[in-house]
Amino acid sequence: MTLLTRRTALLAATAALALGTNPALAQGLPPLKAKQTYKVGFAQTESNNPWRIAQTQSMQDQAKKEGWQLVYTDAAGSAAKQVSDVNSMIAQKVDLIFLAPREEKPLIPAVMAAKKAGIPVILLDRSVDPSLAKPGVDYVTFIGSDFVDEGKRAAEALIKATNGKATIIELEGTTGSSPANDRKKGFDERVKAESGMKIVASQSGDFARDKGRQVAETLLQAHPDATAIYAHNDEMAMGAIAALEAAGKKPGKDVIIVSIDGTRDALQAIVDGKLLATVECNPKFGPKAFETAKRYAKGEKIEPWVVNTDRFFDASNAKQLITDAY
Ligand code: AHR
C-alpha cells in the first residue's frame, strides 16, 4: 500500500467511526476488562536519543501515577528483538501492550501474535503497514503525529527562509519506519512545487546523531554546493551541524538546517543561530496513552488515529520555550 493510501486508510477509518460503525466490536479486537489496576507492557524501540528517553520517562511517570504495573522493554534498535519483547509480554500475560513499532512491516507479526493471544495493542508514535494490519481490527488505535504534515511544515519554513531557492541534502530517519517514510513524502512533495528548490542527495542517518554526522560529512563532500540540510529529526540535525563545523562551514549561514522534534539541543541551536527551525514531534505520550487504554476498557469507541498536534520552534520562541524542552 502506498504512503498516500496509508494515511487515507486511517482517515477513512476515522470517518467510518464518526458514522457510528465500530469495527473493533465487529471484527474481534480483544477487549480490555474494566479493573482497578492493570499490568501493561511498553515495547520501546531504542534509547539512544533524548526523544526516546523522554517518551519512556513519560510512560513510566504515568504508570506510577495510575498505580499500574509497567513491563518495559528496550529493543536496542532491533526490530527482531522488539518482536521477541512483545512475545515475552504475551507470555507474561500483560493486560495490554503499548507498542512503538521500530519499522512498519517487521512488527506486524508482533501485532498479530498479541491479537491472537487476546491482548489489545495500542501503537504509539510510529505506525505499521495498513495493508497488513488495521486500527480497530488488529490493534486498537495509533496515537501519534501527522508525519507527512511535519515534513511539509519543515519544507515551508525552508522555502520561506531561502526565498524558494536551495540545494538540499536530506538526512532520512530509520529506513522502513513510518516517520522516515512520511516525513520524506511531506517534505519532498512540497519542495517539488518550487522550481528553485532541488534535493541533490537523500540518505538514511537512522535518526541517530553520529550516523547523521557521518552521512552529512560524506554528502557534503559529494555536494559542496549544498545550501540547505533537511534532517528527519533533531539528533541528525545536531550531527549535521558538527559535520559542517568540522568542514569549516558556518551552520545557519553557509548552510541552513531545518529538522523535526523539538529537543533542548535543537532549541539551543536555534538560539545560537545554527538551526533555522524544528517542527515539534511531542514525545510525552504517557497521559494520552493511559487515558486511551482506560477509555477502551470502558467500552468507548476509539478513533483509529488519536492525532497529536505539534508546535513549531524557531527564533521567535525557542529562547522562551527552552526551559520546558527535554
Ligand atoms: O517516531 C518518532 C521519531 O523517532 C522521532 O522523531 C525520533 O527522534 C525518534 O527516534
Side-chain angles (χ1 to χ4, degrees):
M1 180 178 277
T2 66
L3 292 170
L4 181 64
T5 49
R6 172 152 66 104
R7 194 157 170 255
T8 312
L10 279 175
L11 294 170
T14 306
L17 194 65
L19 288 172
T21 12
N22 187 350
L25 301 177
Q27 303 195 51
L29 195 65
L32 181 62
K33 270 193 217 142
K35 294 199 286 184
Q36 278 304 314
T37 184
Y38 294 92
K39 176 162 102 174
V40 294
F42 172 43
Q44 179 58 285
T45 64
E46 57 218 341
S47 301
N48 63 346
N49 74 44
W51 196 99
R52 292 281 145 203
I53 292 166
Q55 187 189 36
T56 299
Q57 190 64 53
S58 174
M59 293 296 286
Q60 288 172 337
D61 289 351
Q62 195 64 30
K64 209 165 164 193
K65 208 166 157 188
E66 303 286 349
W68 293 12
Q69 186 187 340
L70 188 71
V71 177
Y72 169 72
T73 55
D74 175 357
S78 157
K81 179 173 181 318
Q82 199 172 27
V83 172
S84 81
D85 288 344
V86 169
N87 285 331
S88 148
M89 288 173 183
I90 295 170
Q92 292 174 64
K93 298 192 187 320
V94 295
D95 295 303
L96 175 141
I97 296 170
F98 293 113
L99 170 64
R102 182 172 155 80
E103 292 142 54
E104 288 193 330
K105 284 190 193 342
L107 269 298
I108 294 288
V111 171
M112 294 309 185
K115 181 184 179 185
K116 195 168 169 214
I119 300 172
V121 170
I122 292 181
L123 298 184
L124 292 189
D125 93 71
R126 292 187 186 179
S127 195
V128 291
D129 186 329
S131 66
L132 303 173
K134 295 192 172 14
V137 179
D138 302 305
Y139 58 92
V140 178
T141 184
F142 162 60
I143 305 177
S145 296
D146 185 336
F147 295 135
V148 176
D149 193 54
E150 288 176 348
K152 186 175 163 224
R153 292 170 75 196
E156 271 161 5
L158 195 59
I159 292 164
K160 194 169 168 209
T162 60
N163 290 318
K165 207 172 172 329
T167 303
I168 308 160
I169 287 174
E170 180 167 354
L171 299 177
E172 299 171 20
T174 299
T175 305
S177 70
S178 59
N181 290 338
D182 290 359
R183 287 173 185 172
K184 180 166 182 59
K185 178 184 164 56
F187 183 88
D188 290 12
E189 276 183 0
R190 182 62 190 87
V191 300
K192 248 181 231 154
E194 304 290 323
S195 58
M197 307 287 288
K198 201 166 52 165
I199 300 169
V200 288
S202 186
Q203 198 175 310
S204 176
D206 203 16
F207 281 133
R209 186 181 292 219
D210 203 48
K211 186 80 194 294
R213 183 190 60 74
Q214 289 168 32
V215 174
E217 199 178 284
T218 308
L219 296 181
L220 283 164
Q221 275 165 11
H223 302 279
D225 58 331
T227 58
I229 294 179
Y230 163 47
H232 288 191
N233 80 343
D234 287 344
E235 280 295 276
M236 294 190 297
M238 293 303 109
I241 288 173
L244 284 164
E245 287 176 336
K249 294 196 176 188
K250 284 201 173 68
K253 292 204 168 63
D254 299 327
V255 176
I256 292 177
I257 307 161
V258 66
S259 69
I260 296 169
D261 268 356
T263 64
R264 182 179 290 266
D265 284 356
L267 266 57
Q268 187 59 53
I270 293 173
V271 172
D272 296 341
K274 296 180 179 182
L275 182 67
L276 171 70
T278 181
V279 180
E280 183 181 42
C281 181
N282 191 337
K284 296 179 184 163
F285 279 75
K288 213 177 249 182
F290 284 74
E291 186 211 314
T292 305
K294 286 192 282 185
R295 283 173 53 212
Y296 186 61
K298 275 193 220 151
E300 276 181 34
K301 283 181 190 173
I302 308 296
E303 51 281 31
W305 181 8
V306 180
V307 188
N308 283 351
T309 49
D310 297 317
R311 293 174 293 174
F312 181 81
F313 305 112
D314 63 6
S316 71
N317 62 1
K319 197 169 179 182
Q320 179 202 344
L321 297 173
I322 199 165
T323 41
D324 285 340
Y326 52 93

